[in-house]
Amino acid sequence: MALDQSFVGRTYPPTPAYEVGREKIREFAEAVGDLHPAYVDVEAARALGHPDVIAPPTFVFSITYRAAGEVVQDPQLGLDYSRVVHGDQKFSYVRPVRAGDRLTVTSTIETIKSMAGNDIVDIRGEVHDEAGELVVTALTKLVARAAEEA
């Protein structure tokens, strides 16, 4: 069953603030195999003009994905999460995420499409810092695969 088009444009409340820590950045950089000095060494980050270590570009996925979970779990939307696969991810940065940031994410359903029985949902996650400034916009595409016919 196709998802309700009236959900397009629906915005969900901001998430609680997530405080970005140096250790989380280091762990993430190690996990993705990118140990750029600005990710792990404060002095290296400062030499590049940053006040503290910065996070690899995909780090923000860990918080925007959780925020998108609020959309996915909305019982009124009716998305069957057991059939969902991650279709695509894009980030548009205003500035890098850095240690000490306290970030919130506001998710909005951008589009809902049905194609070959699959439901495709695009979610925009706007990530703001404690001052309310936009840091990054994440675009997440989720695909709910069509149920197999018996």
Side-chain angles (χ1 to χ4, degrees):
M1 181 167 84
L3 296 176
D4 185 347
Q5 288 291 317
S6 73
F7 277 77
V8 173
R10 180 173 287 195
T11 298
Y12 292 77
T15 61
Y18 174 90
E19 186 164 346
V20 179
R22 288 180 185 162
E23 186 64 15
K24 286 292 186 187
I25 291 173
R26 184 192 62 75
E27 289 171 350
F28 186 88
E30 284 180 358
V32 298
D34 187 354
L35 293 179
H36 186 285
Y39 303 154
V40 295
D41 180 352
V42 176
E43 292 310 314
R46 287 183 179 148
L48 294 171
H50 304 289
D52 208 323
V53 295
I54 59 172
T58 56
F59 176 86
V60 76
F61 177 76
S62 60
I63 54 177
T64 59
Y65 182 75
R66 270 190 265 164
E70 188 174 343
V71 176
V72 169
Q73 295 171 9
D74 184 338
Q76 294 177 338
L77 179 60
L79 188 65
D80 180 358
Y81 188 69
S82 71
R83 307 206 62 76
V84 170
V85 295
H86 186 238
D88 193 17
Q89 187 70 53
K90 295 178 183 171
F91 302 103
S92 177
Y93 276 85
V94 175
R95 68 160 174 85
V97 169
R98 53 190 176 230
D101 277 339
R102 291 182 46 82
L103 304 174
T104 59
V105 183
T106 302
S107 296
T108 301
I109 297 176
E110 288 285 293
T111 63
I112 296 174
K113 299 176 193 166
S114 290
M115 190 177 308
N118 300 311
D119 287 316
I120 302 167
V121 181
D122 292 312
I123 303 167
R124 183 182 75 243
E126 292 183 344
V127 181
H128 292 88
D129 64 16
E130 197 168 23
E133 297 294 320
L134 181 65
V135 175
V136 59
T137 300
L139 299 173
T140 304
K141 183 180 296 293
L142 301 176
V143 180
R145 296 170 290 119
E148 295 178 20
E149 296 192 28

